[in-house]
Amino acid sequence: MLNYPFLLYFGLILSCVVLCSAGYLTVSIEPLPPTVIGDTVTLKCNFQTDGNLREIVWFQVMEGGNAKQKIFTYDAMYNTSYTHMEDGHRREDLVYQSTVRLPEVKMDDDGLYECHVGIYDRSSRDKVILASSSITLTVIVPPKSISVEVANSPAPFSRYEAQNFTLVCTVKGAKPAPVVYFKRDGELIDVFPAVQSSSSVGYQNKGSGPDKTSARSPAGLWSSQVLTKADLDDTKLQKSQSLLEQEEKSTQLSQNGPDALQQEEEEESKLKPEPTTEVIPETVVSREFPRWVQSSDPLYYFQHWQQATGDGTMEVKAMLTWSLNPQLDNEALFSCEVKHPALSMPMQAEVTLAAPRGPKLTMTPSKAKVGDTVRITVQGFQLGPSATEVFPEPMFTWTRVGGSLLDGTEKHDGRELVLERVPAELNGSMFRCTAQNPLGSTDTHTRLIVFDNPRLKKEKEHYVAINAGARQHSILLKSILLLLRLTCELT
């Protein structure tokens, strides 16, 4: 009779033999950095085993994990390999490593990949042990285009009222969404961020201070709720503190009841000074400079958002808003720059703010005749040393000095003024062209000289001669008819 310890020892040895005969298999895929579209990437699947290899299968997971497509298969039984990938996709097969090479990566190659390895069980040739590993291939795309334009352009110039000015930077065709920031004259602008949505891509500041939140005002502009000391001067800080004290008092009074509120009003009425009459001197407003006091270091408000496009890339819009100062901002260079992992250096678009000055007018034909169609066109402007064009696009308004235009209207908007079939009465008329954008306004005049038209004169003379001949022919015909009538009566 066998004792119990011997049976237990024999059972452990038997189970160890079965488990050890099953073999082991570990599979792992080497990590990959993000791959720029168009580059070549190699997927590497490493596995260790003490068994005999059965097969290696690569899958590309598609449709959010609902479908898998075989891209490579290695069958050890037949010692053959078969690829389901495109002809341009090459591969290499090693005993302990399987690699799949993807040349010229496209957007469709982005996603999850799985490597499945099977080995034969030592105990049974019909049994296969499987193991797998997965990796995500991230395909990144550099921005295709970047542009800067002005919101609400064209816009008029105001000499007596400060205006908010907004630059809009649009970046298209990037994946993932890039980081967008603005510079002025080559220096990074210290922006004051507005409310950011959940899909925003972040912002950059000169300083690394705490996050600032803000809310949108009823007028549609983004303003801040939380300000730092650097953003306010002492006057604004004192004003803010006094407002906070008034809010605290009103809160306490509302909690204490109406009696406390009435008592507080009586105390305020006692402290109020009696009204006095003050003589306000006459203010002379200069027509050459704005009447408002403008800070040389304005606050720049920044907001941006992003949205996905149909091709899987992102479109990002960034807005920079500040109170425009025509004296300081004229001929200032603003640039929108983009940082993206697929770019070796920032991508940028530059614009130079410039007020229109010295418009150049052309008139065709140069010598207008009566009855001609005259076109007066703005061909360009006199630009400063740093400006290549007038930006933002100016507004053009045409008027006739001392009268209305040929069609009876008071003014005409557009770069070109067309006068059809000019009459002789317009000879010597003066036309004014006003060009303006938010940075400035300028006027230029041109005089229309209308010459006689020989062709029209000949046609008029010919028409008069025809009319005279027709009248003579009519008189002769009437005379002949009268003579025939008299002859008939006498006979």
Side-chain angles (χ1 to χ4, degrees):
M1 182 176 181
L2 299 175
N3 57 6
Y4 180 76
F6 177 78
L7 291 176
L8 180 60
Y9 177 74
F10 181 77
L12 290 174
I13 294 177
L14 181 62
S15 62
C16 179
V17 172
V18 173
L19 291 176
C20 291
S21 64
Y24 73 93
L25 175 63
T26 59
V27 181
S28 64
I29 300 180
E30 294 184 8
L32 285 173
T35 304
V36 181
I37 188 171
D39 289 353
T40 299
V41 65
T42 301
L43 308 178
K44 296 181 180 180
C45 178
N46 301 320
F47 57 93
Q48 295 180 355
T49 181
D50 61 350
N52 296 323
L53 180 63
R54 171 63 181 87
E55 64 177 358
I56 303 173
V57 182
W58 282 89
F59 291 95
Q60 181 181 7
V61 182
M62 307 174 68
E63 300 179 4
N66 297 325
K68 293 182 180 181
Q69 179 182 358
K70 284 184 180 181
I71 60 174
F72 178 78
T73 303
Y74 173 77
D75 193 336
M77 177 180 294
Y78 302 100
N79 195 21
T80 59
S81 60
Y82 178 74
T83 178
H84 298 268
M85 302 174 61
E86 297 179 2
D87 295 337
H89 288 184
R90 298 174 54 191
R91 74 279 180 188
E92 293 181 0
D93 302 321
L94 300 177
V95 176
Y96 295 102
Q97 185 182 73
S98 175
T99 62
V100 174
R101 183 171 175 266
L102 306 178
E104 299 182 1
V105 172
K106 303 183 292 294
M107 284 290 295
D108 296 339
D109 296 326
D110 185 275
L112 185 66
Y113 290 81
E114 294 180 353
C115 175
H116 293 251
V117 179
I119 63 170
Y120 287 111
D121 190 348
R122 289 185 177 181
S123 61
S124 174
R125 188 69 176 177
D126 298 333
K127 187 177 181 181
V128 178
I129 299 175
L130 299 176
S132 65
S133 181
S134 62
I135 190 174
T136 300
L137 174 62
T138 302
V139 179
I140 59 177
V141 183
K144 295 180 181 178
S145 65
I146 178 174
S147 61
V148 179
E149 57 185 5
V150 179
N152 302 324
S153 180
F157 168 72
S158 177
R159 185 176 285 109
Y160 306 107
E161 182 181 1
Q163 300 184 71
N164 285 326
F165 190 76
T166 300
L167 289 177
V168 182
C169 180
T170 304
V171 183
K172 297 181 180 180
K175 178 183 178 292
V179 176
V180 184
Y181 54 94
F182 286 90
K183 287 184 177 182
R184 174 173 175 152
D185 296 328
E187 296 185 1
L188 186 65
I189 297 177
D190 189 4
V191 297
F192 196 80
V195 163
Q196 297 184 7
S197 62
S198 59
S199 62
S200 62
V201 296
Y203 66 91
Q204 288 196 349
N205 247 341
K206 284 184 179 178
S208 58
D211 293 341
K212 307 170 186 178
T213 59
S214 60
R216 194 169 188 178
S217 63
L221 297 178
W222 292 84
S223 59
S224 171
Q225 287 182 339
V226 182
L227 303 179
T228 61
K229 190 173 181 180
D231 296 324
L232 294 175
D233 55 18
D234 296 336
T235 306
K236 294 180 180 179
L237 286 174
Q238 293 174 4
K239 184 177 180 181
S240 301
Q241 291 175 359
S242 63
L243 291 175
L244 290 175
E245 291 175 359
Q246 292 180 5
E247 291 179 358
E248 292 177 357
K249 287 182 180 180
S250 62
T251 305
Q252 293 176 0
L253 292 175
S254 62
Q255 294 176 355
N256 295 335
D259 296 336
L261 182 61
Q262 184 177 1
Q263 182 179 358
E264 180 67 19
E265 291 178 354
E266 293 177 356
E267 293 178 359
E268 290 181 357
S269 62
K270 292 179 181 179
L271 295 176
K272 286 182 179 179
E274 296 181 357
T276 58
T277 304
E278 181 181 1
V279 179
I280 302 176
E282 181 181 0
T283 302
V284 179
V285 179
S286 173
R287 294 184 177 274
E288 298 299 327
F289 302 99
R291 60 184 296 181
W292 67 89
V293 178
Q294 189 70 275
S295 172
S296 60
D297 189 14
L299 290 178
Y300 292 93
Y301 294 88
F302 180 78
Q303 70 174 108
H304 57 178
W305 61 93
Q306 65 186 42
Q307 63 179 1
T309 58
D311 59 356
T313 59
M314 305 296 295
E315 179 179 346
V316 178
K317 285 184 178 291
M319 297 177 63
L320 183 71
T321 303
W322 73 98
S323 184
L324 188 68
N325 188 333
Q327 279 69 43
L328 298 178
D329 293 329
N330 190 30
E331 297 190 1
L333 175 64
F334 284 84
S335 61
C336 172
E337 297 192 2
V338 171
K339 284 187 177 180
H340 192 270
L343 296 174
S344 58
M345 59 184 302
M347 185 178 181
Q348 68 175 7
E350 297 180 344
V351 293
T352 300
L353 305 187
R357 62 176 184 179
K360 301 175 183 178
L361 302 182
T362 59
M363 182 183 299
T364 54
S366 57
K367 293 183 178 181
K369 301 179 180 64
V370 176
D372 290 348
T373 297
V374 178
R375 299 177 182 272
I376 310 175
T377 309
V378 180
Q379 292 293 338
F381 298 90
Q382 296 178 4
L383 302 175
S386 60
T388 57
E389 62 178 351
V390 175
F391 184 88
E393 176 70 18
M395 298 174 57
F396 300 95
T397 304
W398 297 85
T399 55
R400 179 187 173 192
V401 179
S404 58
L405 297 176
L406 186 58
D407 57 359
T409 58
E410 296 297 328
K411 64 177 183 177
H412 172 76
D413 297 328
R415 181 180 287 267
E416 184 180 64
L417 176 65
V418 180
L419 305 174
E420 295 183 355
R421 298 179 181 178
V422 292
E425 290 76 11
L426 283 184
N427 184 31
S429 297
M430 184 75 71
F431 293 89
R432 178 192 298 115
C433 176
T434 302
Q436 58 179 330
N437 68 0
L439 294 163
S441 176
T442 183
D443 293 340
T444 187
H445 299 76
T446 184
R447 186 179 297 277
L448 175 63
I449 304 299
V450 182
F451 296 90
D452 290 335
N453 194 333
R455 179 176 58 84
L456 293 180
K457 188 175 182 180
K458 289 181 180 179
E459 290 180 356
K460 184 176 181 181
E461 292 177 354
H462 181 65
Y463 179 74
V464 171
I466 291 176
N467 288 339
R471 285 195 297 270
Q472 292 178 359
H473 180 71
S474 177
I475 294 173
L476 179 60
L477 182 60
K478 289 180 179 179
S479 301
I480 294 174
L481 292 176
L482 181 60
L483 181 60
L484 291 174
R485 183 177 179 184
L486 291 175
T487 303
C488 291
E489 289 178 355
L490 292 175
T491 58

